Amino acid sequence: MGDEATDFERPVWATRLRAERSARGWSQGEAVRAMRAHAAESLPADSTLLRNWKRWEAGSSEPDGFYRALIAKTFGTVTAAFFPPSTPNQADAELLAGTGMETVEILARLRTSDVSTATLEALRITADRLCCEYPYMASDQLRVEGRAWLRRITALMDRRLTLAQHQEVLTLAGWVALLVGCVEYDLGHRRIAEGTRKAALTLGEEAGNASISGWAYEMRAWYALTQGDYRGVIAAAEAGEATAKHQGVAVQLAAQRAKAWARLGDRRQVETALDRGRTLLESLPYPEDTDHHFVVDPAKFDFYAMDCYRIAGEDRLAEMYAREVIRSSTDPDGTERKPMRNAEARVTLGVAAARSGDLESAVAYGRQALQGDRKSLPSLLMCSQELATLLAERYPHEPEAVAYLDEVRTLRVS
């Protein structure tokens, strides 16, 4: 109980610092030497660094900007994931989220003969709102609303538009089409989702928006990953990176590549892909809205690493990252802001428990992952099947394991 109380009192980053070190089986001295190995410039003596490290883990002092970046690099993650910036208070968040124009007023303006700057701005904010609702809004509801707004936006193409307005409408339609394609795939509508994805790719190309085109390729990589086409993942990621090499989406493309290489059993390529994504993400500014589905949230890098380490059988690291994913995706009051990430994190905890011989915990985590209202069926099935296969191999005659296998089969045919 003493350690738990100490963890509770220390800052989150200090608790994570110890967890990262422990997951690798390092002493504090070994952690200091690892940090030195990742430094691009000379550091103080080991004795000085060790004193600093002890204070950091205790939470009695906080690393400065230089050491924050170095600590993140040492543990293979990004600074903003390890040391997230403070978030605006609720009042500021509500002001930032406000559109300044109600839906009824937007629709009224859409019916007028001209398309004003204010109307396009309201549509832009509406498209952003839809993308921010992806993590938690019911898939059917978000699909209906997304398709309705997509029709309204594309209808503007029949109006008299300036060249800049034409490009803006194509861009807005591209973002909403990407969102709709994601939700359709979440619902298991593969063929329809692929058609929507291709439409989004075309819109991105016509708008000259490399980010939209890059995300369309990222969706292709995601589709291929969940269908077991790992070479297809790599091909899609390469095409996307060629299109949007310096965009935020390239981080996610690197992550999809890493996941594919993990399943192909090439650890060196996994590390190369993760490091490529980490380096790019570290260079990007912290996003204005981490809830936006097409913005790479620095905390999601832990999610990428969790998946790769689970597949690689690095259970201590996978478990540590899974707990970090759940912590960063859950509000203090228990509200889950990223339920789909949390579901995959719980499957990861289930896999680690099963490998350690704890069947009861493995099944409990697996069942908890299946219970959420907001699901991405292909992704959830992919990782749940990993746990189901493991349980079938190790506990083929245990009633709890058999019952969980039945639940996964039911989800597959639902």
Side-chain angles (χ1 to χ4, degrees):
M1 293 295 292
D3 287 343
E4 292 180 4
T6 302
D7 284 349
F8 180 76
E9 293 166 1
R10 292 203 311 271
V12 171
W13 55 264
T15 300
R16 176 166 182 176
L17 190 64
R18 174 182 289 182
E20 290 269 10
R21 176 177 63 80
S22 298
R24 289 164 174 78
W26 293 348
S27 66
Q28 290 179 326
E30 288 170 330
V32 164
R33 289 191 287 276
M35 185 170 68
R36 184 183 296 282
H38 285 84
E41 57 188 80
S42 61
L43 298 178
D46 280 0
S47 58
T48 300
L49 289 176
L50 184 58
R51 284 196 299 272
N52 288 340
W53 192 282
K54 290 178 182 293
R55 287 196 292 266
W56 295 337
E57 278 201 13
S60 58
S61 69
E62 186 171 352
D64 61 17
F66 170 79
Y67 280 108
R68 288 183 183 186
L70 182 55
I71 288 168
K73 185 178 181 181
T74 300
F75 290 123
T77 188
V78 290
T79 308
F82 215 115
F83 303 94
S86 57
T87 55
N89 61 36
Q90 185 60 33
D92 290 342
E94 290 175 358
L95 287 172
L96 290 171
T99 66
M101 191 181 295
E102 297 295 332
T103 297
V104 173
E105 186 177 354
I106 298 173
L107 295 179
R109 286 173 178 258
L110 289 176
R111 296 188 185 101
T112 61
S113 58
D114 65 333
V115 180
S116 69
T117 300
T119 301
L120 286 177
E121 176 62 18
L123 286 173
R124 188 181 306 115
I125 294 172
T126 298
D128 286 345
R129 173 183 63 79
L130 291 170
C131 291
C132 289
E133 289 174 343
Y134 174 82
Y136 57 84
M137 182 180 282
S139 299
D140 285 323
Q141 180 183 350
L142 188 55
R143 183 192 184 202
V144 169
E145 188 171 353
R147 292 180 70 177
W149 280 106
L150 185 57
R151 286 193 296 271
R152 292 162 186 157
I153 293 170
T154 53
L156 293 178
M157 301 301 295
D158 295 331
R159 309 278 275 283
R160 296 179 60 182
L161 302 172
T162 66
L163 182 61
Q165 287 177 330
H166 180 82
Q167 186 177 35
E168 176 69 8
V169 170
L170 287 171
T171 297
L172 291 173
W175 287 121
V176 177
L178 287 172
L179 176 68
V180 172
C182 287
V183 176
E184 288 171 340
Y185 196 71
D186 285 341
L187 290 167
H189 304 318
R190 286 188 183 183
R191 182 182 57 80
I192 297 173
E194 175 60 11
T196 305
R197 185 198 68 81
K198 288 179 177 177
L201 178 60
T202 299
L203 289 165
E205 291 171 343
E206 291 181 0
N209 191 305
S211 188
I212 290 175
S213 299
W215 279 107
Y217 282 114
E218 190 279 336
M219 287 168 62
R220 179 71 194 103
W222 169 41
Y223 295 0
L225 181 72
T226 57
Q227 294 170 32
D229 178 13
Y230 305 132
R231 295 292 176 182
V233 176
I234 296 167
E238 289 175 347
E241 287 170 344
T243 300
K245 186 174 182 180
H246 302 295
Q247 304 286 332
V249 63
V251 176
Q252 187 120 336
L253 288 163
Q256 299 290 20
R257 188 201 296 261
K259 291 180 180 183
W261 281 120
R263 287 161 174 82
L264 288 169
D266 193 325
R267 179 65 179 268
R268 184 182 65 82
Q269 292 283 10
V270 171
E271 297 292 351
T272 299
L274 284 177
D275 189 62
R276 182 172 182 172
R278 184 198 64 78
T279 301
L280 176 58
L281 184 55
E282 193 71 89
S283 72
L284 298 174
Y286 193 82
E288 293 182 7
D289 194 338
T290 57
D291 286 334
H292 195 294
H293 185 56
F294 301 109
V295 168
V296 180
D297 172 8
K300 197 174 184 183
F301 201 82
D302 297 332
F303 180 72
Y304 306 148
M306 175 195 76
D307 179 274
C308 293
Y309 284 124
R310 183 186 71 244
I311 296 299
E314 298 279 356
D315 293 337
R316 291 177 65 182
L317 285 171
E319 183 176 355
M320 186 275 297
Y321 279 115
R323 296 192 187 284
E324 185 60 29
V325 166
I326 293 172
R327 184 203 62 75
S328 65
S329 302
T330 307
D331 288 336
D333 64 0
T335 301
E336 297 194 6
R337 291 180 291 103
K338 311 284 186 181
M340 291 179 286
R341 286 189 205 176
N342 284 354
E344 293 191 38
R346 290 185 176 108
V347 172
T348 298
L349 292 174
V351 168
R355 287 175 179 159
S356 69
D358 186 352
L359 173 61
E360 182 179 356
S361 294
V363 172
Y365 282 126
R367 282 179 170 157
Q368 191 176 4
L370 300 178
Q371 289 170 359
D373 292 330
R374 181 65 176 95
K375 295 183 178 73
S376 173
L377 284 175
S379 296
L380 181 58
L381 279 170
M382 178 182 70
C383 59
S384 294
Q385 189 58 51
E386 293 169 14
L387 176 57
T389 300
L390 181 61
L391 293 177
E393 292 173 350
R394 299 199 178 192
Y395 311 97
H397 305 299
E398 293 290 339
E400 285 294 291
V402 173
Y404 174 72
L405 297 179
D406 287 340
E407 291 180 38
V408 173
R409 291 190 192 99
T410 299
L411 182 65
R412 183 174 293 280
V413 300
S414 61

